[in-house]
Amino acid sequence: VLPLHHDPASPEGRAALGLEGMPDLAEARIVRFRMKPGEDASCLNLYRPTNPTIIAPEAGFIESNRFTFASSMAESDAERANPWLLLRREFDDGAVPVVADATSMQYVLHVGVGDTFSIDTGGERPLVLRFVGALRDSVLQGELIMSEDAFVRQFPQQQGYRLFLADAPSVRSLDDARTLAGLVERELQPLGVDATVTSERLAAFHQVENTYLSTFQALGGLGLLLGTVGLA
């Protein structure tokens, strides 16, 4: 709920946040994201968002080349090897490059790679976003991802970091992950932290997608049956 200005990946940041006594978190690799709150762009939202949530990772995240892309606007060998570099591309029409989950783009936002999407930021002109890449089955299905430099230019009023991805090597089971998530929530309760296990977040997305697929299969089977009876 409240942005964090201290880095939980550093000893100094953990001390400032009161997390010194958590060795599992001390060993974790943590990536911070800036955030402009908005509407959920995942399959959990039944309506097409007009002002989706936008996040921006630290600069080092782009070089780390995490996640898998389903498609992108990559043209150079460097961009094909690491499509996150597309977030630094500049377009002649002034559109800001963003990356989103392929499922969100197709079924929620109804856009494809290369398409644009305009949002109202309260300025004289709407902000035009261009989708330069689509992630395959990611935990970031509910947000649009922008470079940190572009985010700071477009949303200077959004200070600090409000979304964090933590990869803890000491967590070896789902129970361990839930225990660590509970500890983080308890220690950072005054800041309104909500910690979620990534496997459970993905499972929630898949449950909705599987429900849609089951419904389409049932309707398709009914249509086939009616067609067969009609033909007979």
Side-chain angles (χ1 to χ4, degrees):
V1 177
L2 298 177
L4 299 185
H5 298 278
H6 301 288
D7 185 2
S10 67
E12 298 80 8
R14 289 192 297 274
L17 294 171
L19 302 175
E20 310 100 309
M22 299 178 63
D24 292 338
L25 199 62
E27 299 174 359
R29 178 169 50 176
I30 301 176
V31 180
R32 300 180 296 171
F33 291 77
R34 297 180 185 271
M35 175 187 288
K36 185 194 79 64
E39 299 166 319
D40 185 6
S42 74
C43 59
L44 301 178
N45 186 0
L46 298 178
Y47 305 97
R48 185 174 189 259
T50 58
N51 186 25
T53 299
I54 297 177
I55 60 176
E58 300 174 282
F61 177 82
I62 293 179
E63 278 72 22
S64 64
N65 194 13
R66 305 292 296 274
F67 296 94
T68 303
F69 280 78
S71 59
S72 71
M73 293 179 61
E75 297 177 353
S76 66
D77 291 339
E79 290 175 343
R80 294 187 187 96
N82 182 7
W84 288 110
L85 296 174
L86 292 165
L87 291 180
R88 296 173 178 170
R89 183 181 288 188
E90 296 182 359
F91 295 100
D92 294 336
D93 59 0
V96 179
V98 293
V99 168
D101 187 87
T103 301
S104 298
M105 291 174 58
Q106 182 174 358
Y107 297 108
V108 182
L109 297 171
H110 307 296
V111 296
V113 172
D115 292 344
T116 58
F117 187 87
S118 299
I119 62 173
D120 184 12
T121 59
E124 297 181 358
R125 297 180 180 180
L127 174 62
V128 179
L129 308 175
R130 175 165 285 116
F131 293 91
V132 297
L135 297 174
R136 179 183 287 113
D137 196 26
S138 76
V139 295
L140 301 176
Q141 189 180 126
E143 300 86 19
L144 308 187
I145 308 163
M146 180 184 294
S147 72
E148 187 172 34
D149 290 341
F151 186 95
V152 172
R153 288 196 305 269
Q154 299 297 333
F155 311 108
Q157 70 280 10
Q158 300 293 340
Q159 301 294 321
Y161 298 86
R162 298 179 62 176
L163 176 66
F164 300 81
L165 290 182
D167 182 12
S170 60
V171 173
R172 302 184 182 276
S173 67
L174 181 59
D175 289 338
D176 291 343
R178 288 172 174 168
T179 299
L180 181 57
L183 291 173
V184 170
E185 286 187 348
R186 185 187 66 189
E187 296 299 328
L188 298 180
Q189 183 179 8
L191 299 174
V193 169
D194 180 21
T196 304
V197 180
T198 52
S199 59
E200 294 179 344
R201 181 175 172 87
L202 280 174
F205 292 149
H206 292 162
Q207 184 177 7
V208 175
E209 294 168 8
N210 292 336
T211 300
Y212 282 127
L213 290 175
S214 299
T215 302
F216 294 149
Q217 289 175 346
L219 292 176
L222 179 60
L224 178 62
L225 177 62
L226 292 176
T228 303
V229 172
L231 180 62

